Amino acid sequence: MYLTGVLQTIGLLILSCLFNVFIRVGSLTYDLDGVIFTIFALLSTAFIFSFLGGPGKLVRGTLVSLSTWGYGAALVITTITDIYLVQYVSGTEAGLFSRWAVPVCILISFLVLKRNMSKSDLFALLTITVGAFFMIYIQPSENRIPLLILGFILSVGMALKFLIPELHKENVFAQEFGDIRLKIRVIGFALLSTSILLTLTVLAVCYLRSLNLESLVFLNHDFVPEFSIFKDYPSMIS
């Protein structure tokens, strides 16, 4: 089990770095839209996983679980934040920013889940915190505040992504007693429900913005999506 965990960690690290490099290149080449990229990335992944997992046990429990929606919200936030983060830094630096999640995980585990903090946890907390401040310090002055905000949002979102599955009853059951298909089913239907809700929410916001109502003038900002994003084919294909 220990060796399996080590191999999974190495694999996750490599894939995470490749993802950061991919969206960095995509953002520089095609100016990817974070919202539409996230929608199609989640939808495509959800349909593939749901197809492989198929209908069966734990589907209903997964769809109605609050943990499912919490995990989905964290996944959406981190994916969108990643897209905007790589507009300021390289893919390698974005990977380092994601490590900010480690101290946040340690603090949440200690304060909320009442877990004891070991000496190695404390060392990691201090080391990564110092590294985080150094990462901000070496950036151009005009980028420091945006990066600080994006780094904080990314770290909290990733910490929730790591910790929520431990509290997700269906996921815990699948990990302990299920086969690979049951594990894929839980993940797939969690992603499916989240991605559909995200799509409907974005469509509703786009519709409200298109009305140009004075009472909704706060929607007329660049960061608020509009229907034209659904014509951003590079973001969809990526």
Side-chain angles (χ1 to χ4, degrees), residues 100-110 155 158-160 162-163:
W100 291 16
V102 175
V104 178
C105 280
I106 294 173
L107 289 175
I108 293 177
S109 298
F110 177 71
S155 62
M158 292 193 70
L160 293 176
F162 295 143
L163 294 174

Side-chain angles (χ1 to χ4, degrees), residues 15-16 23 37 46 56 84 106 108 111 120-122 125 127 132 134 154-155 162 174 184 187 197 205 213-214 222 234:
L15 291 175
S16 176
I23 59 176
F37 175 89
Y84 290 110
I106 294 173
I108 293 177
L111 298 174
S120 58
D121 290 335
L122 184 59
L125 178 65
T127 303
F134 180 73
L154 181 65
S155 62
F162 295 143
I184 292 175
I187 297 172
L197 180 62
V205 171
L213 299 177
E214 292 185 6
D222 292 338

Side-chain angles (χ1 to χ4, degrees), residues 30-34 36-37 40 229 232-238:
Y30 299 108
D31 190 23
L32 299 181
D33 182 87
I36 201 68
F37 175 89
F40 277 83
I229 66 172
D232 187 351
Y233 301 117
S235 296
M236 294 180 185
I237 297 172
S238 296

Side-chain angles (χ1 to χ4, degrees), residues 10 13 50 58 102 126 140 144 171 178 181 190-191 208:
I10 295 174
L13 180 63
S50 298
L58 299 184
V102 175
L126 295 175
R144 289 173 185 169
N171 179 68
R181 194 170 179 220
L191 291 176
L208 291 175

